[in-house]
Amino acid sequence: IQFCVKTFYVEQKPWKTVYVNYFVKHFIIGVTVLVVAVPEGLPLAVTLSLAYSVKKMMKDNNLVRHLDACETMGNATAICSDKTGTLTTNRMTVVQSYICKKHCKVLPKYGDIPKKVADLIVQGISVNSANTSQILPGANPTDLPIQVGNKTECALLGFVQNLGKRYEDVREQIPEDRYTTVYTFNSVRKSMSTVIPLPNGGYRLYTKGASEIILKKCSFIFGENGTLAPFSKDQQESMIKNVIEPMACDGLRTISIAYKDFVPGEPAPNEVHCQGEPDWTDEDAIVSGLTSICVVGIEDPVRPEVPDAIRKCQTEELLSIATKCGILKPGDDFLILEGKEFNRRIRDSNGEVQQHLIDRVWPKLRVLARSSPTDKYILVKGIIDSKATSNREVVAVTGDGTNDGPALKKADVGFAMGIAGTDVAKEASDIILTDDNFSSIVKAVMWGRNVYDSITKFLQFQLTVNVVAIIVAFVGACVVQDSPLKAVQMLWVNLIMDTLASLALATEMPTPELLLRKPYGRTKALISSTMAKNIIGQAVYQITVVFTLLFVGDKLFNITSGIGQEIGAPPTQHFTIIFNTFVVMTLFNEINARKIHGQRNVFKGIFTNPIFYCIWICSMLAQVVIIQFGGLAFSTTPLSPEQWAGVWYLVLEPWFGNKS
């Protein structure tokens, strides 16, 4: 418009064919400004950052099934974790025992126990467990043994091995087809019993189960040195108080082992006389008057990496594990609920779940014990839909079992265990932990926050270039009838700030410092106040330098002005210096863009990302080649060493002064 008004109205010149070149030139400038103005590199930066992070997360044992999950994880505000197999190893282990009235917190050896009692323990555990329960050697000599089958039975079999005996030998001597009767475990009897024939006639019953139930069925117990002693009701209560409860307070599941002999001859005090087979259908009579052999305390050890991982994130057995993990600390005013109590608190008189009731519970809830899949789902949904906080919570759920499936599916990010996890859990998850390691979740949080930061770093860098390039091109075109930055030059700048910068800034590695700040939250602006100050400050600085060079640069460098050049005129050193200074400022601002939280040392960690410094060095070398040898293709002319020194002075003096 300005060209038309000046040429045809003010100067009243007639139309010439050569004016078509001017319209083409102005059109190219307009298209170039449009290309630079649109941040088309942002989707590329997002995709590159996510793809790069997913690849790196695989090395950190996080198999990402849904790409957006890794970024979402960076803003997680609550992590709901299943206990068994997730926080713990799911390798039940005997850690305490009570044998012959001796409470051992260090597991005894076979020779430390009276022989008769030790033999009863070995045989009683070996035969009174399913043959499917086994302990197999690991794939490598350094690997832990593999527990196959029922974990509680595997713990007891491990106890036999710790005594120095082989349960396999006992099973070979008394194969399963010789068992007379088996009372399988169920939730009512809470015990399992097996009857085997004795070599001299008669039968022996072995029983194992919940201590408080088995002890009440015992009439005898082995005392010191393996002597048989009566076991009265008062002694039972005393044992529960002084042995069972302390074990429970240590977070142990207590299992009692007992036996009873049916003999055809004269019975001992703890034996029962029988002629022929007893009535095995009368279970209550058969499983009574037992002799207590021992009580053991079993725990599912906390994974060694979990306490530190939870520290970074931040029933009796559940209470103990929560304390060991660091979820609970002494003096904390937090809730520990069982599933029944949880449902009582969150449902109204009609039995309907109410969100306002959930909001009263979940902020202080730290342990939900004996919970059903429905309870887990309701809790996760309740946290997500909560009105108790100003921002919508971002919930991650970890689990390994089929019963964790609904909660994993509902969560913003679901983590499934890759080794011990079921197919249902894996299918419902967004990320699979290939090493079943809880600390890998912490790495996922770090990578998620790193993705967010990588995107904002690129955004800070690109918006600065956008603002400067648009203003310089538009104002320059309006004021001097020509853009100081030519079309090809602008496209080179666009290549730097889009493709190369997105690759450089989207491949930064995460640092532990990312965990020291709170999650951004769902409603936080993508451009923070610090970023806005960086963008505006850097843009003002660059625009000031470019316009200074545009209007007085020819005098500063004592060169011919490039303003008012005719179409087809050769490139000038004046506009070459403007282009060179702008690109060098942009490249140094790329280093500034690495820090978005107000850090002063922008060089910190710069050599941890070889992709970044390789791209930066190559871009700078390419700029030198373009200036010195670009010629008409890039509208440049070679600069002298003094002119290069002047460009670097303009760039580095304020830059280092600002960062000192």
Side-chain angles (χ1 to χ4, degrees), residues 393-466:
E393 299 289 320
V394 181
V395 182
V397 170
T398 70
D400 65 333
T402 302
N403 61 336
D404 299 317
L408 288 168
K409 194 73 174 176
K410 182 62 181 176
D412 295 296
V413 182
F415 287 87
M417 298 296 156
I419 300 173
T422 63
D423 290 341
V424 172
K426 293 175 185 177
E427 193 65 31
S429 67
D430 300 292
I431 299 175
I432 297 175
L433 304 179
T434 57
D435 62 347
D436 284 12
N437 193 325
F438 189 87
S439 64
S440 298
I441 297 174
V442 179
K443 295 176 183 176
V445 174
M446 290 173 58
W447 276 108
R449 295 186 177 185
N450 192 63
V451 167
Y452 188 98
D453 281 5
S454 296
I455 294 169
T456 52
K457 288 173 187 177
F458 174 76
L459 197 58
Q460 174 177 295
F461 171 74
Q462 185 172 56
L463 290 181
T464 303
V465 181
N466 280 12

